[in-house]
């Protein structure tokens, strides 16, 4: 697996579906530390998705 390194200047803001977010988290392609909530709705969706992803994980 290739590691991608970015600095603080290389940030983008994108909108993705909660299903895609779940898939990326479950597959390990996106980590919770990579997520930043931009508004209250995003915070609610990300919080719920992270919680569901952590309870469905086979890895402790």
């Amino acid at each position: 697996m290739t590691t991608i390194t970015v600095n603080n200047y290389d940030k983008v803001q994108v909108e993705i579906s909660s299903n895609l977010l779940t898939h990326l988290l479950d597959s390990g392609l996106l980590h919770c530390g990579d997520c930043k909530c931009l508004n209250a709705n995003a915070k609610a969706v990300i919080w719920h998705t992270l919680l569901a992803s952590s309870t469905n994980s086979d890895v402790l």
Side-chain angles (χ1 to χ4, degrees):
M1 177 183 255
T2 303
T3 301
I4 299 172
T5 303
V6 296
N7 60 41
N8 288 335
Y9 302 111
D10 296 333
K11 290 186 178 184
V12 297
Q13 296 178 4
V14 297
E15 182 176 308
I16 60 173
S17 71
S18 59
N19 288 337
L20 179 55
L21 177 62
T22 300
H23 175 72
L24 292 172
L25 290 167
D26 289 346
S27 67
L29 294 172
L30 181 68
H31 302 279
C32 62
D34 298 328
C35 299
K36 180 179 178 183
C37 301
L38 300 176
N39 59 45
N41 185 54
K43 184 176 184 177
V45 171
I46 288 176
W47 176 253
H48 175 74
T49 306
L50 290 172
L51 182 62
S53 179
S54 68
T55 59
N56 292 333
S57 177
D58 293 333
V59 179
L60 295 177

